[in-house]
Amino acid sequence: RCPPATAPPAATAAVAAASSDSAKLNITPADVQWRREHCTPLPRWPPSRFSHDQDWVTLADGMAVADDTLWRWAGGVEGGLVNQRTGGHINYRGEGLVRGHGDKPPFRAAAAGRGTRLHRVPIRADAHRQDAPPCERPPATFALRFVSSSTFLEVDDGDGTVVARSRECSDLPACLWDLEPQPPPFADWLAVRSRLTGLLLRMVDASHPPFSG
């Protein structure tokens, strides 16, 4: 099981050795392609399972790599996820809410701050196989814990929105994410795949009807 607050020393040391950018997560686009060929694909939720787009709400429903599903890891073991489209961070807003805007109106893309800090906890995906059978090259899977609340980034099983309610990340796939490096010209960016929905983490921008969350 994934520990509620800290990773095992060996795993923490491994992540600490990683660079602050996605290109040095010790995985390459070639590795990902090889893994996709030899591992069973994750089951994918149908579009009908997801909520409708609302301003600044993050969903795990991205079908393809695009500017709203590309992310940059800003930091080391402790850092944050920055969306390419909005230029803002994923932000913990309290009471389990995760948004892409800052903490005070008028709401704009969230700058780095207390609520955006995430801790990367590496997971041996081949040891947590409720979502897919074992494969020869397991994915680069992480749990992502908000430092301010000690709650994990996870997918709501009802509508696919991204929340942060749980202080423990079990071996269920709702709180597990594959970090997938991209080939040029997006080599500095990651796609972040939910192991629950099988789809990509996507940030909705402010081009939709106002949302007060």
Side-chain angles (χ1 to χ4, degrees):
R1 287 181 173 270
C2 170
T6 58
T12 301
V15 178
S19 163
S20 61
D21 61 47
S22 63
K24 296 183 179 179
L25 282 168
N26 297 320
I27 48 177
T28 67
D31 290 333
V32 173
Q33 181 61 36
W34 192 94
R35 183 253 297 178
R36 289 298 178 205
E37 292 175 357
H38 290 268
C39 294
T40 302
L42 294 170
R44 293 191 173 193
W45 281 18
S48 59
R49 293 256 338 234
F50 295 97
S51 69
H52 296 293
D53 284 3
Q54 300 177 82
D55 279 9
W56 302 115
V57 173
T58 308
L59 296 161
D61 69 345
M63 299 294 293
V65 173
D67 59 356
D68 57 351
T69 60
L70 283 172
W71 302 85
R72 179 171 53 85
W73 180 262
V77 177
E78 187 177 297
L81 282 171
V82 180
N83 184 250
Q84 187 184 78
R85 171 175 287 185
T86 69
H89 290 68
I90 281 187
N91 186 30
Y92 179 74
R93 295 270 294 138
E95 299 182 355
L97 294 177
V98 174
R99 296 291 184 263
H101 61 64
D103 296 330
K104 297 179 180 180
F107 292 136
R108 298 186 177 91
R114 183 173 180 271
T116 68
R117 292 164 58 202
L118 287 163
H119 184 87
R120 259 186 352 216
V121 182
I123 303 296
R124 279 189 57 208
D126 56 342
H128 301 284
R129 304 310 307 180
Q130 294 192 29
D131 52 358
C135 54
E136 295 180 56
R137 175 143 346 215
T141 302
F142 292 82
L144 301 171
R145 179 173 54 84
F146 281 104
V147 175
S148 62
S149 61
S150 295
T151 54
F152 286 90
L153 195 73
E154 61 185 309
V155 179
D156 186 289
D157 189 53
D159 63 7
T161 56
V162 175
V163 296
R165 300 171 184 148
S166 302
R167 290 180 178 268
E168 294 187 4
C169 179
S170 69
D171 54 1
L172 295 175
C175 58
L176 300 181
W177 306 88
D178 290 354
L179 303 188
E180 301 178 352
Q182 300 300 303
F186 304 115
D188 292 333
W189 300 86
L190 297 164
V192 181
R193 188 176 302 277
S194 166
R195 295 197 66 81
L196 177 65
T197 70
L199 299 172
L200 301 177
L201 184 67
R202 181 174 70 92
M203 175 61 72
V204 180
D205 62 18
S207 62
H208 297 82
F211 180 66
S212 60

